[in-house]
Amino acid sequence: TDNGTGDYSVNFTTAMSDANYSAIGSGGDGGNGVRSIGATTYTTSLFRFPVRNPDNGLADPVFTNVTIFS
């Protein structure tokens, strides 16, 4: 889900058994603009994360990759 500029959520079709999972991610713009992904919310039904540009401002990347480990 796109919640606004640089603010995204991954919604789980099947809820996790608990919120003790790990999520990692990366993003970019196809050039030098590597984006950093953090986490703001871990729940059993979603993982919400901001995407930041090299200047630490929120930004919409061209691509984003997120991996969830439970």
Side-chain angles (χ1 to χ4, degrees):
T1 303
D2 185 348
N3 303 304
T5 301
D7 183 10
Y8 298 91
S9 297
V10 173
N11 300 287
F12 305 129
T13 302
T14 303
M16 297 283 195
S17 58
D18 59 46
N20 297 323
Y21 55 87
S22 176
I24 59 171
S26 65
D29 62 6
N32 317 5
V34 175
R35 308 290 189 223
S36 93
I37 296 174
T40 57
T41 306
Y42 285 92
T43 72
T44 58
S45 60
L46 73 83
F47 166 63
R48 189 168 182 167
F49 58 95
V51 179
R52 300 195 176 275
N53 63 27
D55 296 327
N56 205 31
L58 292 174
D60 288 331
V62 172
F63 64 87
T64 302
N65 302 295
V66 176
T67 304
I68 310 287
F69 297 96
S70 67

